[in-house]
Amino acid sequence: MNVNNKPWKNESFHASFEEADSIRDKLLRIWKSDKKHEGMQVKIKWMASKNKFAVKTRLHPDFEKKKEEK
């Protein structure tokens, strides 16, 4: 798997961008105040198939624990 294409997890779905943006802002505030969330990313994506906005999260690939090579 290419490190740059690490998958995003669907956190929640919302009918409006404003609702999704509110959740994104809330997550960013929580993560900023807690060091254990360092490297977390959040984005909003329009999901045409569901006709909703998705709030997606992931840990940035640079913050992943590296697997030891043999």
Side-chain angles (χ1 to χ4, degrees):
M1 177 193 285
N2 186 342
V3 173
N4 294 328
N5 294 328
K6 187 173 185 312
W8 292 79
K9 175 185 164 225
N10 291 331
E11 191 69 32
S12 58
F13 295 95
H14 305 276
S16 72
F17 179 84
E18 290 75 17
E19 290 174 32
D21 192 40
S22 172
I23 298 299
R24 176 177 59 180
D25 287 343
K26 180 180 176 184
L27 287 171
L28 288 171
R29 280 193 310 273
I30 291 168
W31 294 343
K32 186 176 183 179
S33 65
D34 192 342
K35 197 72 169 161
K36 75 177 184 182
H37 294 292
E38 186 178 24
M40 288 299 294
Q41 296 179 306
V42 61
K43 70 177 180 178
I44 299 172
K45 182 174 181 177
W46 171 249
M47 306 291 282
S49 63
K50 295 183 184 289
N51 204 30
K52 293 187 183 260
F53 291 92
V55 177
K56 297 175 155 277
T57 60
R58 74 173 182 179
L59 179 62
H60 188 280
D62 289 350
F63 289 87
E64 284 284 317
K65 293 180 181 175
K66 304 291 183 207
K67 292 182 181 174
E68 195 174 300
E69 292 186 27
K70 293 184 179 182

